[in-house]
């Protein structure tokens, strides 16, 4: 009953986002970004959301690919990441919330905290200058790479091997506060998956519980945050539409067709790419501001 209610509310949030997103696309249908390839960004959307469904995360790989293929300008990267991945992530949340049991109070309180954090964070991040965004995202990507590395070598797993499906007392308060912060930071392009998974592990919960919590958190906060980005016009419209379509297909295939996939080598490759991208963002954030903008993607 509670699960159905949570999914129902999520459906309403997503519908509201879809209306705002659709109206903005229709309003600017003749002003879509000429330097963005619908095909390339659509393929990027498919790939990153396919592996996102398997728990790797989509923000960091998408950022690396957007920059590598010069598809999205740095200034609108945070908004684009949130808007383009909203519907694919909501699809993931529906799958995992329905399939994995989480104690009701823990699930709802952590999801709500992420949403509130995102609403507050999006309004601030959408107005940040490009150099600030590069600095924040560079630090975020390196932090994400470190967490992914910790998971690969077993550091995170060793921090917590519990079986709990819910939290109480001080641990619940810590979880709520941390998810609030993660929700706000996600609007700056910081993926929530790895930090949330680490949080779940460290608080002694079952690793399986991380999936509905982290995907549900993203799914609930992203419509709210993305609406703010859309209204600010702080996102790449063409890329967002292409990634939404490609990403939805990727989620369906990953969830219902792929039963098992060796991800160890791929995860190491992602860590390398994310680390490289984080370093380049930090480097770019320290460069003098250039007058010309046509060449900067």
């Amino acid at each position: 009953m509670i699960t159905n209610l949570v999914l129902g509310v999520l459906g309403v949030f997503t519908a509201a986002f879809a209306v705002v997103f659709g109206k903005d696309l229709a309003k600017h249908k003749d002003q879509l970004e000429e330097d963005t390839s619908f095909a390339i960004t659509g393929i990027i959307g498919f790939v990153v959301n396919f592996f996102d469904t398997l728990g790797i995360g989509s923000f960091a790989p998408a950022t690396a690919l957007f920059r590598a293929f010069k598809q999205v300008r740095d200034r609108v990267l945070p908004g684009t990441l949130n808007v383009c991945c909203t519907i694919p992530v909501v699809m993931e949340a529906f799958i995992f919330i329905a399939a994995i049991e989480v104690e009701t109070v823990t699930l709802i309180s952590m999801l709500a905290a992420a949403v509130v954090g995102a609403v507050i964070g999006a309004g601030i991040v959408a107005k940040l200058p490009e150099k600030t965004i590069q600095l924040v995202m560079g630090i975020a990507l390196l932090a994400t790479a470190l967490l992914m590395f910790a998971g690969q070598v077993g550091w995170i797993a060793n921090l917590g091997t519990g079986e709990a499906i819910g939290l109480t007392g001080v641990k619940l308060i810590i979880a709520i506060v941390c998810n609030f912060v993660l929700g706000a930071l996600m609007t700056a392009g910081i993926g929530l998956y790895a930090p949330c998974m680490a949080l779940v592990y460290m608080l002694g919960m079952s690793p399986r519980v991380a999936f509905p919590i982290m995907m549900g958190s993203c799914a609930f906060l992203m419509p709210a945050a993305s609406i703010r980005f859309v209204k600010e016009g702080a996102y790449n419209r063409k890329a967002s539409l292409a990634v939404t379509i490609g990403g939805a297909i990727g989620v369906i295939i990953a969830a219902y067709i792929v039963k098992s996939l060796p991800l160890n080598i791929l995860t190491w490759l992602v860590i390398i790419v994310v680390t490289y991208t984080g370093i380049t963002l930090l480097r770019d954030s320290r460069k003098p501001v250039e007058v010309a903008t046509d060449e900067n993607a």
Side-chain angles (χ1 to χ4, degrees):
M1 178 64 180
I2 297 298
T3 297
N4 291 336
L5 178 60
V6 170
L7 294 178
V9 173
L10 177 57
V12 172
F13 282 2
T14 307
F17 158 74
V19 170
V20 174
F21 183 32
K23 286 184 176 180
D24 188 68
L25 288 175
K27 181 179 179 181
H28 298 91
K29 64 179 183 297
D30 296 324
Q31 302 173 327
L32 298 181
E33 295 78 2
E34 294 182 357
D35 55 351
T36 297
S37 166
F38 192 89
I40 292 176
T41 51
I43 293 172
I44 290 173
F46 174 87
V47 171
V48 300
N49 283 285
F50 176 91
F51 292 110
D52 189 69
T53 308
L54 300 175
I56 287 182
S58 60
F59 272 25
T63 298
L65 291 171
F66 283 152
R67 286 176 58 83
F69 290 96
K70 301 185 183 300
Q71 294 299 302
V72 178
R73 299 178 186 276
D74 288 339
R75 187 184 64 82
V76 296
L77 262 175
T80 303
L81 290 170
N82 278 273
V83 174
C84 74
C85 291
T86 293
I87 290 178
V89 169
V90 167
M91 293 172 63
E92 294 172 24
F94 267 84
I95 294 168
F96 286 100
I97 290 177
I100 300 175
E101 181 183 3
V102 184
E103 191 271 325
T104 302
V105 174
T106 300
L107 178 64
I108 293 179
S109 59
M110 291 185 72
L111 298 186
V115 172
V116 174
V119 171
I120 294 174
I124 298 172
V125 173
K127 297 182 178 65
L128 291 176
E130 183 174 10
K131 293 297 181 184
T132 301
I133 290 175
Q134 289 173 332
L135 176 62
V136 171
M137 292 189 68
I139 294 172
L141 288 176
L142 291 179
T144 299
L146 178 60
L147 284 170
M148 293 177 70
F149 176 82
Q152 282 293 94
V153 298
W155 294 348
I156 291 179
N158 291 334
L159 290 174
T161 56
E163 297 296 328
I165 62 172
L167 299 169
T168 58
V170 176
K171 285 188 176 182
L172 179 58
I173 294 174
I174 292 174
I176 292 172
V177 172
C178 288
N179 235 35
F180 172 87
V181 174
L182 292 179
L185 293 178
M186 187 170 172
T187 62
I190 301 174
L192 183 144
Y193 281 12
C196 186
M197 183 172 288
L199 174 65
V200 166
Y201 286 3
M202 287 186 286
L203 291 175
M205 299 179 73
S206 167
R208 283 175 54 83
V209 173
F211 281 84
I213 290 177
M214 67 189 185
M215 291 176 175
S217 294
C218 293
F220 269 92
L221 69 85
M222 289 178 75
S226 295
I227 286 175
R228 295 288 296 274
F229 281 118
V230 170
K231 290 184 175 180
E232 293 281 348
Y235 78 110
N236 183 307
R237 295 180 176 87
K238 183 186 287 187
S240 295
L241 177 59
V243 172
T244 295
I245 296 172
I249 297 172
V251 169
I252 291 173
I253 293 176
Y256 296 111
I257 296 180
V258 178
K259 300 302 181 183
S260 62
L261 185 67
L263 300 177
N264 187 56
I265 295 178
L266 176 63
T267 302
W268 281 114
L269 291 175
V270 171
I271 291 173
I272 293 171
V273 172
V274 168
T275 300
Y276 171 78
T277 305
I279 292 172
T280 59
L281 278 167
L282 290 178
R283 182 196 62 196
D284 291 347
S285 73
R286 297 174 63 85
K287 290 181 179 178
V289 177
E290 299 179 0
V291 176
T293 58
D294 291 342
E295 299 297 327
N296 297 329

